[in-house]
Every structure is written in structure tokens, then in C-alpha cells.
Amino acid sequence: MPRGSKSKYTAEQKRKAEHIEDSYEKKGLSKDEAEARAWATVNKQSGGGDKAGGSGRQKPASAKAEDRQESARRAVASRDGHSRNSKASRDVQTVDSLRKEARAKQIPGRSSMRKDELIEALRKVS
């Protein structure tokens, strides 16, 4: 059984959890497991119940926009095979990914460089 009071949830959230729970039960899960998964899904989708209180301080819209841009930048870097700390992981990157990074930083002569030369050039630029 899920822990905690559900009194802070909206009627819509409670309805959604009930529908999700029914769906899981139809798939053969136990009542307790279905209920736990249903509330976990509702929490993930909506961030939990409408809780009173809090700090009362919210980030300004500009800070939220900057956070979104930073998150998008990290997602692109991750898709391209770069970890968050790409400087430390250059030794394990492929030559192709190093060339992509060099292209992004507009390093001249990158197409004819060997791996160790690309790493050195990227270290100098960073």
C-alpha cells in the first residue's frame, strides 16, 4: 500500500490514479502493486499532490529559460557521445566524436589530425 495521505491530491489526480490502478489490475497485478504503481505514475506526471506551504520563492522566468537551454545543451552533448565532463573523457572518445567537437570549436586542420593531435588542440582551446 502506498504511504502517505492522499488528501493533498486533486480530484483529477485521484481519478487518474484510479483508472491507472484498474488498468494494472486488469493486467494481473495485485491490488497493492497496482495502487503503488498508479500513484507513482501520477506523481511522476504531475509532481505529487497540491502541497501547501513551501518557500514561497520561485525562479524568475529568465532563470527557468536558462535552465532549459542548459538542459537542452547537455542532452545534445549526451546524444553526440560526450559525457558531462568531456575534457576528462577525451581519451576514450572516438576520433569521429573528437572531430565533431573540433568542428564545433572551429579548429583549423582538424580533418588531417590524428587522435592525440585532436585531443591536444581541444585542450588548448578549452
Side-chain angles (χ1 to χ4, degrees):
M1 177 105 178
R3 295 181 291 176
S5 169
K6 304 296 182 240
S7 62
K8 297 288 183 182
Y9 288 88
T10 64
E12 180 186 1
Q13 290 170 316
K14 290 176 184 177
R15 257 191 330 273
K16 185 182 284 190
E18 188 176 321
H19 288 292
I20 294 169
E21 182 180 344
D22 290 342
S23 174
Y24 277 125
E25 286 178 12
K26 286 178 185 174
K27 291 179 182 179
L29 267 67
S30 70
K31 173 110 175 107
D32 288 343
E33 180 66 18
E35 185 178 3
R37 286 189 184 187
W39 283 109
T41 302
V42 169
N43 286 336
K44 185 170 184 177
Q45 290 175 347
S46 63
D50 294 334
K51 299 175 182 78
S55 67
R57 296 183 342 189
Q58 294 182 354
K59 283 187 175 182
S62 60
K64 288 182 183 180
E66 289 171 14
D67 288 348
R68 280 192 298 275
Q69 287 174 343
E70 177 65 16
S71 177
R73 185 194 61 73
R74 285 194 315 265
V76 167
S78 178
R79 273 195 306 269
D80 290 342
H82 305 293
S83 69
R84 282 189 175 193
N85 191 359
S86 62
K87 293 174 189 167
S89 66
R90 285 191 177 127
D91 292 331
V92 295
Q93 283 181 273
T94 63
V95 174
D96 189 44
S97 67
L98 289 168
R99 282 197 179 121
K100 282 182 183 177
E101 192 175 341
R103 185 182 313 124
K105 295 185 179 188
Q106 299 177 344
I107 295 174
R110 63 188 172 267
S111 62
S112 61
M113 289 182 182
R114 291 187 311 262
K115 184 174 183 175
D116 58 334
E117 294 172 325
L118 283 166
I119 292 171
E120 186 59 32
L122 288 166
R123 282 192 182 131
K124 286 180 182 177
V125 173
S126 297

